[in-house]
């Protein structure tokens, strides 16, 4: 594969999208593939199934607590394994192999959800942990490929285009799943209120199978079209060393040298804080809507609105970054999020909730995609797996604080309306840290670190 920095992009539609080379399109398709799991399993269908079916023998509160615990276990597993396996993948030139392993764990766990029946809470929690770990772990290695396939000038548009692909893929399958769950006759399944339990749950269980098939099928372009980056090792390493010894050595070295990568660390820290605000809005939106009286059908419609509004605006953020710069574009997104919180405080109707969904869809994907590309531009390529492992750790552990603050705010204010205003603090603090990032300095340090390596 030619060096991405040496390729001159052609003019035209695909170039405008940031997808002008086959390997860029192949890479972006993994966002399309894995986003189906994120929309159907993480957000819309499985959480409801988990509580109403798998947790049917207990209380809804107990099932909700089990789901929260499963989320925590999956986050801890990836937080521990991410940096270590990322460093091993860097040393061994095995990013795609690790991506494939985690992807297959996630795919088979998701498809196995077909066997979850009433009262199968432990099975449901176990499979959810494996599915989440598979998706999150695979994303670590997927994102670590970004600095290898895109030049510094391309990375923003490529990252935002991939997010747009994710919105399309996740939104399409979610819409199909919701269509046949609400009307099973569309796919030839029986309809009625007196169906046996196994038949009544069949539409949702087939949706879980479809996610696994979709995830596996649309991952194929990445494995066929993106080459494993060439193996490089540092001056004090040997090509025949133990990969785990080398991994722990690199991790220790990186932790000691974080001061050298100050700009990348600042990006991680800023992202951890403001993305916690974004994540809190995502996680608490349906609960907030339910509390203020928005019907379940309207909540699901709002989720679809976010998905499909996000498509053009993810592309738009890539173009905006080319004109205003990556950092300023992210800050603009955070300013809109601040306005979203203020607007959410006063909403009372489904119509206003739809407007809220449109506003979220306008900035959610673009802000997160540009954060990914900004970090990628400051990462030494020979340590991209390791650094994105840390990135995943910061992202997952940062996600604990937002819901906790939201919960405390509800206790202090008595409702989610007051709590939503507290979320603004994440955008203010995270944005303030982001303003301190010196992008040219971060990019220079990363390139100098790469220059000190040699081919194995």
């Amino acid at each position: 594969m030619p060096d991405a920095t040496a390729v001159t992009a052609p003019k035209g539609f695909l170039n405008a999208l940031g997808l002008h080379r086959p390997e860029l399109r192949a890479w972006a398709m993994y966002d399309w593939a894995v986003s189906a799991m994120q929309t159907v399993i993480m957000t819309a269908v499985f959480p409801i199934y988990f509580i109403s079916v798998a947790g049917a023998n207990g209380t809804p509160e107990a099932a909700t607590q089990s789901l929260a615990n499963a989320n925590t276990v999956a986050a801890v597993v990836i937080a521990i394994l991410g940096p270590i396996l990322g460093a091993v993948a860097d040393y061994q030139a095995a990013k795609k192999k690790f991506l494939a392993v985690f992807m297959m764990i996630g795919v088979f766990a998701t498809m196995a959800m077909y066997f979850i029946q009433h009262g199968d809470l432990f099975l449901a929690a176990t499979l959810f942990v494996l599915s989440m770990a598979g998706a999150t772990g695979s994303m670590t290695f997927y994102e670590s490929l970004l600095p290898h396939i895109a030049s510094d000038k391309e990375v923003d548009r490529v990252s935002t285009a991939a997010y747009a692909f994710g919105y399309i893929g996740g939104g399409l399958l979610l819409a199909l799943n919701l269509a046949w769950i609400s009307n099973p006759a569309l796919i030839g399944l029986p309809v009625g209120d007196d169906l046996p339990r196994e038949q009544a749950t069949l539409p949702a269980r087939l949706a879980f199978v479809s996610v696994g098939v979709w995830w596996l099928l649309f991952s194929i372009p990445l494995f066929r079209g993106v080459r494993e980056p060439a193996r490089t090792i540092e001056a004090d390493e040997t090509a025949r060393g133990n990969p785990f010894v080398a991994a722990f050595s690199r991790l220790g070295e990186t932790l000691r040298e974080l001061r050298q990568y100050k700009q990348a660390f600042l990006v991680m820290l800023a992202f951890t804080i403001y993305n916690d605000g974004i994540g809190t809005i995502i996680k608490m939106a349906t609960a907030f809507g339910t509390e203020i009286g928005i019907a379940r059908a309207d909540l699901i419609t709002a989720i679809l609105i976010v998905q499909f509004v996000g498509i053009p605006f993810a592309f738009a953020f890539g173009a905006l970054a080319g004109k205003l710069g990556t950092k300023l574009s992210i800050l603009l997104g955070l300013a809109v999020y601040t306005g979203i919180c203020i607007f959410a405080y006063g909403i009372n109707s489904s119509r206003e909730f739809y407007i809220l969904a449109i506003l979220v869809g306008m900035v959610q994907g673009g802000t997160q995609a540009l954060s990914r590309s900004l970090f990628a531009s400051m990462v030494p390529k020979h340590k991209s797996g390791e650094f994105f492992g840390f990135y995943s750790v910061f992202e997952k552990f940062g996600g604990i604080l937002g819901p906790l603050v939201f919960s405390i705010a509800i206790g202090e204010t008595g409702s989610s309306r007051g709590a939503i205003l507290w979320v603004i603090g994440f955008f203010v603090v995270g944005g303030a840290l982001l303003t301190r990032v010196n992008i040219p300095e971060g990019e220079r340090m990363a390139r100098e670190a790469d220059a000190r390596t040699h081919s194995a």
Side-chain angles (χ1 to χ4, degrees), residues 299-389:
L299 293 176
I300 292 175
T301 301
I303 293 172
L304 289 172
I305 287 173
V306 172
Q307 290 295 120
F308 289 106
V309 169
I311 297 167
F313 279 95
F315 285 119
F317 260 82
L320 187 66
K323 297 182 181 298
L324 299 182
T326 309
K327 185 165 69 173
L328 188 56
S329 298
I330 295 173
L331 290 171
L332 178 61
L334 298 182
V336 173
Y337 264 115
T338 300
I340 285 171
C341 292
I342 296 170
F343 177 74
Y345 178 81
I347 68 173
N348 293 291
S349 66
S350 295
R351 177 176 174 273
E352 291 171 324
F353 200 80
Y354 290 157
I355 295 173
L356 188 68
I358 292 171
L359 292 172
V360 170
M362 288 171 60
V363 293
Q364 180 177 294
T367 304
Q368 292 179 314
L370 290 181
S371 301
R372 175 172 68 183
S373 61
L374 178 61
F375 183 68
S377 71
M378 299 183 183
V379 168
K381 292 182 181 180
H382 72 286
K383 286 189 172 185
S384 62
E386 176 187 342
F387 269 78
F388 271 99

Side-chain angles (χ1 to χ4, degrees), residues 165-444:
F165 267 39
Y167 277 126
I168 299 170
L172 280 176
L173 188 60
L174 176 59
L176 289 171
N177 289 164
L178 292 176
W180 81 55
I181 288 172
S182 61
N183 185 9
L186 288 175
I187 54 173
L189 297 179
V191 180
D193 296 330
D194 56 347
L195 292 173
R197 281 182 170 182
E198 287 194 8
Q199 288 191 4
T201 60
L202 187 57
R205 291 186 290 122
L206 288 177
F208 305 149
V209 174
S210 74
V211 171
V213 173
W214 184 283
W215 188 354
L216 180 63
L217 179 65
F218 289 109
S219 297
I220 293 173
L222 181 142
F223 291 104
R224 290 178 59 88
V226 178
R227 294 184 183 179
E228 180 68 38
R231 187 184 182 195
T232 57
I233 58 176
E234 297 181 353
D236 59 347
E237 296 174 337
T238 62
R240 297 173 181 260
N242 183 298
F244 283 94
V245 172
F248 279 102
S249 176
R250 284 190 175 193
L251 286 171
E253 180 183 275
T254 299
L255 289 172
R256 291 191 300 270
E257 294 178 351
L258 273 178
R259 183 177 300 179
Q260 178 181 345
Y261 301 111
K262 177 183 176 182
Q263 306 307 320
F265 179 75
L266 264 179
V267 171
M268 272 199 300
L269 186 58
F271 173 73
T272 299
I273 295 172
Y274 66 70
N275 191 60
D276 204 358
I278 295 172
T280 300
I281 289 176
I282 294 170
K283 293 171 185 174
M284 302 308 300
T286 53
F288 174 72
T290 301
E291 180 182 319
I292 64 174
I294 306 300
R296 177 179 291 184
D298 291 326
L299 293 176
I300 292 175
T301 301
I303 293 172
L304 289 172
I305 287 173
V306 172
Q307 290 295 120
F308 289 106
V309 169
I311 297 167
F313 279 95
F315 285 119
F317 260 82
L320 187 66
K323 297 182 181 298
L324 299 182
T326 309
K327 185 165 69 173
L328 188 56
S329 298
I330 295 173
L331 290 171
L332 178 61
L334 298 182
V336 173
Y337 264 115
T338 300
I340 285 171
C341 292
I342 296 170
F343 177 74
Y345 178 81
I347 68 173
N348 293 291
S349 66
S350 295
R351 177 176 174 273
E352 291 171 324
F353 200 80
Y354 290 157
I355 295 173
L356 188 68
I358 292 171
L359 292 172
V360 170
M362 288 171 60
V363 293
Q364 180 177 294
T367 304
Q368 292 179 314
L370 290 181
S371 301
R372 175 172 68 183
S373 61
L374 178 61
F375 183 68
S377 71
M378 299 183 183
V379 168
K381 292 182 181 180
H382 72 286
K383 286 189 172 185
S384 62
E386 176 187 342
F387 269 78
F388 271 99
F390 279 120
Y391 188 79
S392 179
V393 170
F394 274 66
E395 180 182 8
K396 295 301 172 290
F397 275 112
I400 297 172
L401 183 59
L404 176 61
V405 169
F406 200 85
S407 176
I408 294 171
I410 291 175
E412 292 291 326
T413 64
S415 75
S416 294
R417 288 189 187 276
I420 200 72
L421 295 179
W422 286 39
V423 178
I424 293 173
F426 290 100
F427 303 129
V428 173
V429 175
L433 284 173
L434 186 63
T435 62
R436 299 176 63 86
V437 174
N438 185 326
I439 296 178
E441 173 69 9
E443 292 174 343
R444 182 182 66 81

